[in-house]
Amino acid sequence: YNTYIMRYQFVSICPIKYILDMELQSFPSQDNHQTEALEQIYEEIQREIEGLKLENDILRNYKSRLKAPGGLDCCALPAEGEKVTHQRQLPLKLMIEQKCEIAIKEQERVSQQSGEHRKAAETLADTLRTVLEETDIRISDLKKDAYEFKRDIVVGAESMRTGKTLAEKTTRYMEEKLQKRDGVIGKLRLKNSTIKTHLYKVELQMKQKEQTGDALHYIDFHQLQIENKQYQARIEDRNEQLLRLKMTTSKTVQALNRLKKTLNTLSAESGWLKLEIIARTKQLCKVSDERNTVNLDVASERNSKNLRSDKVEPSGLPSTLDYVSQKAHMYDLQATLCDWGRKTEIIDMAACNSQNVARKLACRKLA
């Protein structure tokens, strides 16, 4: 530190640039490598000087704020721009503890100043915000008043015959506006009086609490802080539980929606199948009735054939026309029989399919 102060005092008398020029002139045969080294030395010395200047400024500010100037174990530093006449009058070396103490106090001062500036900035921002809100309200009121004035006086109070504004409507409009303004002023005064009474009551309550000793002490405040922490922990636990419950309810709602969709599809399919079963059963009943009628017709035809064969004499043969007609009738009956056989097969297949579908639906409902 003494070397830094010596360099600082020497620099205050002789600039570093002048020293570097003197060294370069004293060694004219140096190469580029040595000049670069000297430039690096010059930069390092300049950085050290800047650091020393900063330390000296902090120390000077600290000493100027002290009430008792003899509180430190170091000599007074020279003021800015003051030349040092003797290099032997060097300041004493500051200890690390003293430097730390000065740095801590300066940090506290800077933090305090920053807090004050922040508070001042916040108050200024609040006042500006309130002023802006008030100006916005006033601008809106002025726009409204201008619109009403234009509607009621400029346009509404104009005479159709002469084209001039009627004085009666204008005075009436102004009287109504003044009455409204007086009403607003009365409301604001009443509100102000109620706020003042409320403030007075609160001040009386605070004074009574201070007199009776009900004011909070440090221990009570500390206990309230502990209780506040406990309640905050409980609130966090309850919030976590609520979050878990919300997640589970969301999952259950999703599963319920999926099941509702499947239930709707299955109910629609079951309704369609019920209608199809009813239609197929009706068709089956109809086909079975037709089959019974056909069987009866076939039986009656067989009986009639047997009777005819019994009536025919064994010795005599039927005529050719009878044979041809009977043969044609037999072919017709065989064709109708094949058709009804196909219909019965189709109906049997449809009945099997409907029975399989009904079994599947019953299995699904049981599952």
Side-chain angles (χ1 to χ4, degrees):
Y1 188 76
N2 289 328
T3 56
Y4 292 166
I5 296 296
M6 289 171 67
R7 286 178 181 176
Y8 174 70
Q9 292 173 353
F10 187 68
V11 163
S12 64
I13 299 169
C14 299
I16 297 296
K17 188 81 173 175
Y18 180 69
I19 296 168
L20 186 62
D21 292 335
M22 289 176 64
E23 289 182 357
L24 289 171
Q25 289 177 4
S26 61
F27 299 99
S29 61
Q30 290 177 348
D31 53 357
N32 293 325
H33 181 70
Q34 291 177 353
T35 55
E36 289 177 358
L38 288 173
E39 288 178 355
Q40 290 178 0
I41 292 167
Y42 168 69
E43 290 176 357
E44 290 177 359
I45 291 169
Q46 194 171 4
R47 285 196 294 270
E48 290 176 0
I49 288 166
E50 289 176 357
L52 290 172
K53 283 182 180 180
L54 181 60
E55 290 180 0
N56 289 329
D57 291 335
I58 293 169
L59 184 59
R60 189 177 292 108
N61 293 327
Y62 177 71
K63 286 190 69 179
S64 64
R65 285 191 305 275
L66 286 176
K67 293 181 180 179
L72 290 173
D73 295 334
C74 63
C75 297
L77 290 175
E80 292 181 356
E82 184 181 355
K83 294 184 179 181
V84 180
T85 56
H86 300 286
Q87 295 182 4
R88 294 180 182 179
Q89 296 178 357
L90 297 176
L92 296 176
K93 184 177 181 181
L94 288 173
M95 302 299 290
I96 300 297
E97 292 82 3
Q98 293 175 348
K99 289 182 180 181
C100 291
E101 184 180 357
I102 292 167
I104 289 166
K105 288 183 178 180
E106 287 294 322
Q107 186 179 3
E108 290 177 355
R109 183 183 64 81
V110 171
S111 62
Q112 186 178 1
Q113 287 180 357
S114 63
E116 291 175 356
H117 289 308
R118 191 181 297 110
K119 288 180 181 178
E122 288 177 357
T123 53
L124 182 61
D126 292 332
T127 53
L128 290 173
R129 197 178 295 112
T130 53
V131 168
L132 286 173
E133 290 176 358
E134 186 179 359
T135 51
D136 292 334
I137 293 167
R138 290 184 68 181
I139 287 166
S140 62
D141 293 335
L142 288 172
K143 286 181 179 179
K144 186 177 179 182
D145 293 336
Y147 174 73
E148 290 177 355
F149 184 79
K150 184 178 180 180
R151 183 189 63 190
D152 297 334
I153 303 300
V154 177
V155 179
E158 187 178 358
S159 179
M160 299 295 291
R161 185 171 57 84
T162 60
K164 295 180 181 181
T165 304
L166 297 175
E168 295 177 356
K169 290 185 178 180
T170 306
T171 53
R172 193 183 303 117
Y173 176 79
M174 291 298 175
E175 288 175 357
E176 289 177 357
K177 283 291 180 183
L178 290 173
Q179 287 177 0
K180 288 181 182 179
R181 189 65 57 84
D182 292 334
V184 172
I185 289 167
K187 289 180 181 179
L188 290 173
R189 283 178 180 174
L190 182 62
K191 189 175 180 181
N192 191 9
S193 63
T194 53
I195 290 168
K196 282 182 179 179
T197 53
H198 182 69
L199 183 63
Y200 181 70
K201 289 179 181 179
V202 172
E203 287 178 354
L204 285 176
Q205 289 177 1
M206 292 294 292
K207 287 180 181 179
Q208 289 176 0
K209 284 183 179 180
E210 288 177 357
Q211 288 176 2
T212 55
D214 292 335
L216 292 173
H217 298 288
Y218 177 74
I219 298 169
D220 298 331
F221 185 71
H222 188 64
Q223 188 175 1
L224 288 172
Q225 283 183 348
I226 293 168
E227 291 179 356
N228 190 12
K229 288 180 181 178
Q230 291 176 358
Y231 285 128
Q232 283 180 357
R234 290 181 185 177
I235 289 166
E236 288 178 358
D237 294 334
R238 295 296 174 85
N239 288 328
E240 289 178 358
Q241 291 178 2
L242 182 63
L243 184 62
R244 287 196 293 270
L245 290 172
K246 283 182 179 179
M247 292 174 68
T248 53
T249 50
S250 64
K251 289 180 181 178
T252 52
V253 166
Q254 289 177 359
L256 183 63
N257 291 325
R258 287 198 298 271
L259 291 173
K260 281 183 179 178
K261 287 180 181 179
T262 53
L263 181 62
N264 291 325
T265 54
L266 290 173
S267 62
E269 189 176 356
S270 66
W272 178 77
L273 288 172
K274 284 179 181 178
L275 294 173
E276 192 71 19
I277 288 166
I278 291 166
R280 293 294 176 88
T281 51
K282 287 181 180 179
Q283 189 177 3
L284 183 63
C285 292
K286 188 176 179 181
V287 170
S288 62
D289 292 335
E290 290 179 356
R291 185 177 179 182
N292 291 326
T293 54
V294 169
N295 288 326
L296 290 173
D297 292 336
V298 170
S300 64
E301 289 292 332
R302 283 179 181 174
N303 290 325
S304 63
K305 186 178 180 181
N306 291 325
L307 290 172
R308 287 173 186 172
S309 63
D310 291 334
K311 288 180 180 179
V312 173
E313 294 180 356
S315 60
L317 294 173
S319 62
T320 306
L321 293 173
D322 293 333
Y323 178 76
V324 171
S325 62
Q326 288 179 359
K327 202 73 173 174
H329 186 63
M330 185 183 71
Y331 287 149
D332 293 333
L333 290 174
Q334 287 178 355
T336 54
L337 183 63
C338 290
D339 293 333
W340 284 108
R342 291 194 190 95
K343 288 181 180 180
T344 53
E345 288 177 358
I346 291 166
I347 291 165
D348 291 332
M349 290 175 68
C352 290
N353 291 325
S354 62
Q355 288 177 359
N356 291 325
V357 171
R359 288 196 195 95
K360 288 179 181 181
L361 286 171
C363 292
R364 287 182 182 178
K365 289 181 180 179
L366 291 173

